[in-house]
Amino acid sequence: MLFGMDGVAVTEAERGDDGRLAVWARITLPAVCPGCGTVSETVHQYVTTRPRDVRACGHDVELCLVKRRMRCAEAACPRRTFTEWVPQVPPRCAITRRLLEHAAAEVADRGITPAEAGRDAGISWPSVHGAFAQGADQVLDDPPAPVAHLGIDEHRRGRPRWRTDELTGESVQLADRWHVCFYDLDGRQGMLGQVEGRTADDTAYWLAGATPAWRDGVQVVAIDMCAIFLSAVRRMLPNAQVAVDLFHVVQLAVKTTGDVRRRAIREMYGRRGRAGDPEYGIKHLLNRNLENLSPEQFEKIIGTLDASAGGQQIAITWIAKEKLRDALKLRARVTGSTPCERQVRDRLFSFYDWSARHEDIPELLTLAGTIARWENEIVTAVTTGITNATSESLNRLAKLEGRHAYGFRNPANQRRRVRIACTRGTRRLSDRTPKTTRGVITRKRHHGYQDEIRFLEVLPFQA
């Protein structure tokens, strides 16, 4: 009972001076001929095998399994003799199945590499990888359950691989550098699947593999500001709403502010910005949220940008960035109440109007044009509160898995390892922990302005 292997009875056990435990055991199951299925009781000889087994109390175990080689009682059976076996130790097996399952579980649940799991178990890493692949494929081959909120993101898997066609002499791609990943944003299934490549056809190919009922159940799809994903979603999920991840919207606005700052500094000084330039010294403050600035930091920005014409262009773009954020802050997670579509569009119109009044700044017009093209998707993201945060966090796990393996040469192995890593937490929590709802996060205002955006519109440098 302590040994825990069905069909095997321990006859003797002794521990050596080095702590190693030697266990002698025999098989108690009836000896059935694998050729004809006849039960035999005639012993031809005894064979002792020593398969690798799991550790006991931190010490290695030397399993000495005494097996009988039996004579088949059926005269017409072409198999004269056979050796008895148990499911945990199949014929010609040098490693018990429970040791392989334990090593494979270490890879799947702890996230270690097959090489590390093999060293701990005292077996080779190909054996661990084979057991891991067999167990992982049984889990990953199951079709995904219906999801209401689907996330799509890209993942760079490594360098592309090529080969030369012997007939034409042209290079043929064997492995793409990109994977498109699909995520369950509800948090129960993690990563749903991956497809090699980063085109609209590749993305639509994975969606086409799902059942029509599954596709009809998708209500909202969260993506980055990527026209490739939008095209595939419109083609395969025509009834689903598309929400743009708001982080990338703000990131684009911050980048535009930085582009204007760099151009203005080059026009004023004829060189790149450097330490000592007033505009260069506030570059990090321009990236911060307006409501998180202290009064001293706010006054520093105003005093610096009001001193020159180039600084006023930076200030105009910075105000445009905050006007755009003012529309995005209407989401329920910030305000505590679900906004209506008209409120969001009114604040976006304020951003458009501000950009049109300062059409002499080309970067600002480019930003306004991009926001206008994605306006419907931005409004959906604000009103529904759906983000791609889950996709980004699981994408980080995918990158970490690649670092652990020092890169992957086989894309199929990479997709298997990444999906197991990105479903590890959901497998642990799906059966025991209910999903909790995040509370509303309120923004603390450091200064006394009730509406920073309207206050900025009347600053002196806006004349």
Side-chain angles (χ1 to χ4, degrees):
M1 292 176 62
L2 292 176
F3 192 63
M5 186 178 292
D6 294 338
V8 175
V10 176
T11 59
E12 184 180 355
E14 58 181 358
R15 187 177 299 278
D17 297 336
D18 57 352
R20 188 181 185 88
L21 180 64
V23 178
W24 288 81
R26 62 181 179 85
I27 296 178
T28 59
L29 297 179
V32 180
C33 177
C36 61
T38 304
V39 177
S40 176
E41 297 181 355
T42 306
V43 179
H44 177 67
Q45 68 178 115
Y46 289 90
V47 179
T48 302
T49 61
R50 290 175 171 80
R52 278 277 190 180
D53 199 13
V54 295
R55 293 181 176 181
C57 300
H59 298 283
D60 293 335
V61 173
E62 181 183 5
L63 174 59
C64 303
L65 183 59
V66 180
K67 300 191 293 186
R68 299 175 297 174
R69 186 180 299 276
M70 313 296 292
R71 287 193 181 94
C72 183
E74 180 61 40
C77 181
R79 193 182 189 100
R80 299 298 181 183
T81 61
F82 63 91
T83 304
E84 59 182 354
W85 59 279
V86 291
Q88 281 291 340
V89 188
R92 303 179 184 86
C93 181
I95 307 172
T96 62
R97 282 189 175 178
R98 64 183 182 183
L99 178 57
L100 291 174
E101 294 171 356
H102 170 74
E106 291 286 283
V107 178
D109 297 335
R110 288 186 52 202
I112 64 177
T113 63
E116 183 178 355
R119 285 193 299 268
D120 294 342
I123 57 181
S124 64
W125 75 263
S127 300
V128 178
H129 174 73
F132 162 73
Q134 182 180 5
D137 290 341
Q138 295 177 358
V139 176
L140 302 179
D141 287 345
D142 295 337
V147 296
H149 303 151
L150 177 66
I152 303 178
D153 198 7
E154 59 192 9
H155 166 64
R156 182 176 175 178
R157 61 160 299 273
R159 293 179 297 179
R161 296 181 60 192
W162 305 83
R163 71 171 178 85
T164 302
D165 193 337
E166 298 179 356
L167 298 179
T168 62
E170 298 180 353
S171 297
V172 179
Q173 191 176 46
L174 296 178
D176 197 277
R177 66 187 299 186
W178 295 98
H179 276 160
V180 176
C181 307
F182 302 84
Y183 305 92
D184 177 16
L185 299 184
D186 295 331
R188 283 299 181 187
Q189 301 182 75
M191 180 181 290
L192 302 173
Q194 303 172 81
V195 63
E196 190 172 348
R198 191 182 57 164
T199 65
D201 292 337
D202 295 328
T203 307
Y205 172 79
W206 189 92
L207 294 173
T211 62
W214 189 91
R215 293 197 298 268
D216 292 340
V218 178
Q219 301 175 5
V220 182
V221 181
I223 62 175
D224 301 341
M225 301 178 72
C226 179
I228 293 175
F229 297 157
L230 181 62
S231 174
V233 171
R234 292 303 185 203
R235 188 193 315 176
M236 301 306 303
L237 304 174
N239 298 326
Q241 293 181 292
V242 180
V244 168
D245 188 53
L246 299 182
F247 167 82
H248 294 86
V249 178
V250 177
Q251 185 184 46
L252 182 61
V254 171
K255 178 181 179 299
T256 301
T257 306
D259 293 341
V260 175
R261 178 185 57 80
R262 284 184 287 270
R263 178 179 58 79
I265 290 178
R266 187 171 292 277
E267 291 177 353
M268 287 188 295
Y269 301 107
R271 54 169 174 78
R272 296 178 56 185
R274 62 180 63 165
D277 296 339
E279 298 81 6
Y280 187 84
I282 63 172
K283 65 175 185 177
H284 295 298
L285 296 180
L286 296 176
N287 295 339
R288 299 183 61 180
N289 298 334
L290 177 60
E291 62 269 20
N292 295 334
L293 294 174
S294 65
E296 293 78 12
Q297 293 171 335
F298 182 79
E299 293 296 334
K300 182 178 180 180
I301 292 177
I302 299 304
T304 301
L305 300 183
D306 193 28
S308 62
Q312 291 182 11
Q313 289 192 14
I314 302 173
I316 292 171
T317 311
W318 176 55
I319 293 174
K321 185 255 295 186
E322 293 299 331
K323 279 181 163 295
L324 180 58
R325 288 190 59 252
D326 195 37
L328 306 184
K329 287 190 294 185
L330 287 173
R331 61 190 186 274
R333 187 178 177 185
V334 178
T335 62
S337 60
T338 303
C340 68
E341 181 179 340
R342 177 51 55 191
Q343 288 178 299
V344 183
R345 294 191 185 273
D346 287 345
R347 293 199 180 185
L348 287 178
F349 176 79
S350 177
F351 163 74
Y352 296 144
D353 181 65
W354 180 264
S355 301
R357 286 158 55 186
H358 302 90
E359 59 182 2
D360 56 321
I361 305 177
E363 296 88 351
L364 186 55
L365 291 183
T366 302
L367 173 63
T370 303
I371 298 302
R373 287 194 300 272
W374 292 91
E375 179 177 341
N376 294 332
E377 290 75 19
I378 293 175
V379 171
T380 300
V382 176
T383 55
T384 62
I386 303 300
T387 69
N388 233 2
T390 300
S391 303
E392 297 293 346
S393 64
L394 294 178
N395 197 14
R396 180 188 61 83
L397 292 180
K399 296 177 181 178
L400 185 62
E401 198 71 15
R403 296 190 186 102
H404 285 169
Y406 295 94
F408 287 92
R409 292 179 57 85
N410 190 319
N413 290 338
Q414 180 175 10
R415 287 192 290 269
R416 182 189 296 113
R417 287 275 298 277
V418 166
R419 278 201 64 194
I420 283 294
C422 293
T423 57
R424 185 179 303 127
T426 56
R427 290 198 311 272
R428 293 173 180 171
L429 301 177
S430 59
D431 297 332
R432 58 184 181 182
T433 304
K435 182 181 178 182
T436 58
T437 303
R438 294 181 177 180
V440 176
I441 299 177
T442 58
R443 305 293 185 183
K444 180 180 179 181
R445 300 180 183 268
H446 292 277
H447 44 76
Y449 309 126
Q450 297 297 323
D451 193 337
E452 301 91 338
I453 301 301
R454 295 179 182 176
F455 176 81
L456 286 173
E457 293 184 7
V458 297
L459 288 176
F461 53 72
Q462 301 306 322

